[in-house]
Amino acid sequence: MLPRPRRRRPIDIPKDLVAASAAPLVLSILAEGDSYGYAIIKRVGELSGGELEWTDGLLYPLLHRLERQGLVDSRWGASETGRRRKYYALTDPGRGAIAQHRAQWSTVAAALEAAWDKARVELRSAGPAGARA
């Protein structure tokens, strides 16, 4: 019998970081094509390697807000089983919002990388833990 792969512990991502990244993630997923709630939640899990596990309570209020802002449209359609399902689609303003989010996140990520690089150098030069007085 083969040994089971060790599953690493999930990263604890604070709610404010999840909330801040939610709109750009949903808009980017909808840029791939129209989708519905469960499929969006599943795609977020795939994109995050299983680290982000969204709930309906996070997604649907966000989709409704994006719709009020004119960034997504919705329509009712039938699923493969014939059940009614609400599909969401990206609008032209939604495409523009993705570009804005991308620029914002790139700026934040670059600042964090620069800060962490500086901290890494500072921490290395300080020597072992507790070496600073």
Side-chain angles (χ1 to χ4, degrees):
M1 181 185 330
L2 293 173
R4 291 177 61 184
R6 288 181 52 183
R7 184 175 166 116
R8 64 186 177 110
R9 265 187 31 216
I11 298 169
D12 183 22
I13 301 172
K15 287 183 181 185
D16 57 345
L17 187 54
V18 172
S21 62
L25 262 173
V26 167
L27 293 173
S28 297
I29 289 168
L30 292 176
E32 298 172 355
D34 298 1
S35 194
Y36 57 95
Y38 176 74
I40 294 170
I41 288 171
K42 198 169 161 190
R43 185 71 177 127
V44 167
E46 291 169 2
L47 290 170
S48 69
E51 295 292 339
L52 294 174
E53 296 179 1
W54 284 10
T55 63
D56 294 356
L58 182 141
L59 179 63
Y60 289 106
L62 171 63
L63 285 168
H64 297 152
R65 186 174 72 242
L66 294 173
E67 192 169 14
R68 282 192 309 274
Q69 293 171 343
L71 303 179
V72 301
D73 281 330
S74 66
R75 65 175 167 73
W76 286 98
S79 70
E80 302 79 31
T81 62
R83 291 185 59 204
R84 284 175 41 96
R85 177 181 284 162
K86 197 170 197 180
Y87 288 88
Y88 296 88
L90 193 61
T91 62
D92 287 338
R95 290 183 201 293
I98 292 172
Q100 280 185 309
H101 284 295
R102 187 171 185 157
Q104 293 164 349
W105 280 93
S106 293
T107 300
V108 170
L112 283 169
E113 286 297 328
W116 288 330
D117 286 347
K118 176 116 173 90
R120 197 170 310 138
V121 169
E122 295 293 324
L123 292 172
R124 257 187 275 160
S125 66
R132 286 190 182 185

